[in-house]
Each structure stands twice: as structure tokens, then as C-alpha cells.
């Protein structure tokens, strides 16, 4: 029995999230992957994912693993799967990994990027992959607010109401705001993320950029552990799971542009 890692990219626009759902709820990325594997190798598999992206959320570097008896060489798997998968899901890499590898539990950190189209008129070429916000945003205020989120905190105020997480403590190694060509990007790199955490962070930082939240209030929001104190949950389409790291390499080594 092999343990096979797949690295994926997908456009989440047409999917009811990553996690398999009853068919009447709509297509899911996991459902498509498992369906294609069965068609290719006549084998039922259960895909384990690094992160269960929500409806409309995208991925440039999602990682999954599955147990299989298929004998196909690892370097042939992407071509075989991509020949059948929908054009908005692609297998970028496949390789055999040790039996104990688990795409979720073995992850050391993940990078999520949230994109905001901050032009007065929506950019038609970004409409599926960014949240349009016509009000000019103060990125200095956003970055000041973001800096308070870095470190180890109880992020209950930045988790979806009713979350069943056993612990709300997470570590954000980096929370950065950058602007380029009328687009603002919020980059969050951490050891784990709560349900809707990055989207709530994005909504909160946008409020800081509009002057609705004082950046210096972020520590009090964290301390309150009150979801109603933070900003709204930003739209799903602006969020992309960009990278998942398993070897423990420092994020700045891989992404030097995030260094202060």
C-alpha cells in the first residue's frame, strides 16, 4: 500500500468547497479527485487534505495524500489525472511519501493570501479571485493592525461564531499587507488556522483601512475573545491557499518578499 502526496491548484468558483458533500449540495474538489482516481485505477480512495477550503476559495498549493495499491509511477500520475479532471483542477505534482505522512497533521505552516481589488471600478480580470472594495484603503493603517496579530494568541474573536475548535490558540508568523497595481494583498502565514479566520482577519483589516477600526484596538479585540468585536467575514473568492510547508523551512527563506 502506497501513501501518495498530490500537490494541487484549483479555481474554487464552481465548487462547494473542498470537502466531499452529498451530490445534491454541489460539486466538491475532493469528490472530483476521488471520482477520477476510481475511474483511472478502479480503486476507492479517501483523500486527506492539508486544509478544507470553503465554497469559492481557491488554491495554488493545496496538498493532499491518499493510500493506494495502484502501480502507476509517481511522475505519470499528474498527466493521467489531468487528462480527466475538470480544467479548473490540476495536479501539479505527485510523489510517494512515508506511511506516517498526513497532509493535515504533518504540516508545519501554511500561507494564505487574500486579494482586494481596490480600484473605483471592478477589474473584470480579477473579479473571480479578489474582493472588490471601491473605498480607498489606508494600507499603513492596515499594516499597523496586522502587526498586532502576529505571534501566538487566542484567536476566538477571529473564528466563525459557533466554532467547535478544541483550542483557539494559533501562531501567526507573518501577517503582511502589500499593494501593487491597484490590488491589495493580505498575507497570513501560520501554524494553523481556525474556520474563516483569514477571511475575518481580512474583513477586520479592511475596516482598519477605512478608519472604522483603530489599529491600536486589535489587542483589545484579541483579548475580548468576542467575534462581534472583529470585522465582517470577507468574501470567499478573495482567498487563496498558496503554500503548505512540511520540512519546517523558515517562511522568509521561501518567500523573502515578506521580510519587513
Amino acid at each position: 500500500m502506497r501513501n501518495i502526496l498530490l500537490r494541487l491548484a484549483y479555481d474554487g468558483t464552481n465548487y462547494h468547497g473542498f470537502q466531499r458533500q452529498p451530490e445534491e449540495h454541489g460539486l466538491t474538489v475532493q469528490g472530483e479527485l476521488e471520482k477520477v482516481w476510481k475511474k483511472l485505477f478502479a480503486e476507492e480512495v479517501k483523500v486527506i487534505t492539508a486544509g478544507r477550503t470553503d465554497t469559492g476559495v481557491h488554491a495554488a498549493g493545496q496538498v493532499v495524500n491518499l493510500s493506494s495499491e495502484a502501480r502507476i509511477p509517481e511522475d505519470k500520475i499528474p498527466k493521467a489525472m489531468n487528462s480527466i479532471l475538470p480544467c479548473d483542477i490540476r495536479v501539479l505534482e505527485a510523489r510517494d511519501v512515508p506511511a506516517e505522512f498526513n497532509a493535515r497533521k504533518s504540516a508545519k505552516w501554511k500561507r494564505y493570501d487574500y486579494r482586494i481589488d481596490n480600484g473605483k471600478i471592478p477589474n473584470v480580470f480579477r473579479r473571480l479571485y479578489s474582493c472588490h472594495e471601491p473605498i480607498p484603503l489606508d494600507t499603513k493603517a492596515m499594516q499597523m493592525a496586522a502587526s498586532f496579530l502576529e505571534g501566538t494568541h487566542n484567536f476566538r474573536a477571529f473564528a466563525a461564531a459557533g466554532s467547535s475548535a478544541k483550542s483557539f490558540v494559533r501562531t501567526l508568523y507573518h501577517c503582511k499587507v502589500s499593494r501593487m497595481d491597484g490590488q491589495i494583498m493580505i498575507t497570513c502565514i501560520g501554524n494553523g488556522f481556525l474556520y474563516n479566520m483569514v477571511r475575518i482577519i481580512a474583513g477586520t483589516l479592511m475596516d482598519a483601512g477605512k478608519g472604522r477600526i483603530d489599529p491600536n484596538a486589535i489587542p483589545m479585540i484579541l483579548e475580548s475573545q468576542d467575534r462581534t468585536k472583529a470585522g465582517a467575514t470577507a468574501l470567499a473568492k478573495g482567498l487563496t491557499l498558496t503554500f503548505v510547508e512540511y520540512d519546517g523551512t523558515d517562511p522568509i527563506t521561501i518567500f523573502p518578499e515578506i521580510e519587513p
Side-chain angles (χ1 to χ4, degrees):
M1 185 69 73
R2 303 164 67 187
N3 192 14
I4 302 173
L5 174 153
L6 303 178
R7 186 165 60 89
L8 313 170
Y10 51 83
D11 177 341
T13 303
N14 296 320
Y15 295 94
H16 194 73
F18 181 90
Q19 189 173 8
R20 188 195 316 105
Q21 303 281 344
E23 287 189 7
E24 60 269 22
H25 291 173
L27 296 175
T28 65
V29 178
Q30 181 180 9
E32 293 301 299
L33 291 170
E34 293 175 354
K35 187 191 309 179
V36 165
W37 192 273
K38 184 177 181 180
K39 187 171 184 178
L40 285 169
F41 307 114
E43 182 181 48
E44 298 270 3
V45 295
K46 181 181 180 181
V47 167
I48 298 170
T49 179
R52 297 174 183 173
T53 52
D54 297 334
T55 300
V57 174
H58 315 292
Q62 174 72 280
V63 177
V64 304
N65 71 288
L66 57 90
S67 296
S68 171
E69 294 181 342
R71 295 189 175 185
I72 181 172
E74 58 184 21
D75 62 325
K76 303 295 185 185
I77 293 174
K79 183 176 181 180
M81 295 191 71
N82 291 337
S83 69
I84 302 176
L85 280 166
C87 62
D88 49 9
I89 302 175
R90 280 293 171 263
V91 177
L92 306 176
E93 175 192 8
R95 57 187 169 91
D96 289 284
V97 289
E100 65 271 15
F101 176 87
N102 180 290
R104 181 176 64 85
K105 295 179 181 179
S106 301
K108 303 299 184 184
W109 53 263
K110 303 172 191 175
R111 171 176 173 165
Y112 282 91
D113 290 305
Y114 194 90
R115 292 175 173 81
I116 304 162
D117 176 5
N118 199 209
K120 190 173 182 179
I121 298 172
N123 185 315
V124 296
F125 299 108
R126 294 173 176 166
R127 71 192 189 282
L128 299 180
Y129 313 108
S130 63
C131 168
H132 179 241
E133 176 48 69
I135 298 174
L137 298 174
D138 181 347
T139 52
K140 289 184 178 179
M142 294 173 69
Q143 181 56 63
M144 183 183 296
S147 67
F148 288 113
L149 294 169
E150 293 183 336
T152 301
H153 306 286
N154 184 314
F155 282 95
R156 182 186 288 268
F158 292 86
S163 172
S164 59
K166 294 180 180 178
S167 171
F168 292 87
V169 176
R170 299 291 187 274
T171 299
L172 271 188
Y173 302 118
H174 301 277
C175 189
K176 302 298 178 187
V177 179
S178 57
R179 181 190 288 271
M180 183 178 293
D181 299 329
Q183 183 169 239
I184 295 171
M185 186 161 74
I186 299 167
T187 297
C188 294
I189 297 177
N191 66 352
F193 294 88
L194 299 161
Y195 183 54
N196 281 350
M197 179 173 159
V198 179
R199 290 168 59 192
I200 295 169
I201 287 175
T204 304
L205 297 186
M206 281 194 278
D207 278 350
K210 296 173 190 175
R212 295 177 180 173
I213 289 180
D214 182 343
N216 293 300
I218 298 299
M220 290 180 285
I221 294 173
L222 285 166
E223 188 176 355
S224 74
Q225 299 182 31
D226 183 349
R227 172 67 190 91
T228 65
K229 303 293 185 184
T233 304
L235 295 176
K237 65 180 182 177
L239 184 60
T240 299
L241 172 56
T242 302
F243 191 82
V244 185
E245 170 64 15
Y246 292 94
D247 295 331
T249 304
D250 189 297
I252 291 178
T253 301
I254 300 173
F255 303 108
E257 71 278 6
I258 66 173
E259 191 169 16

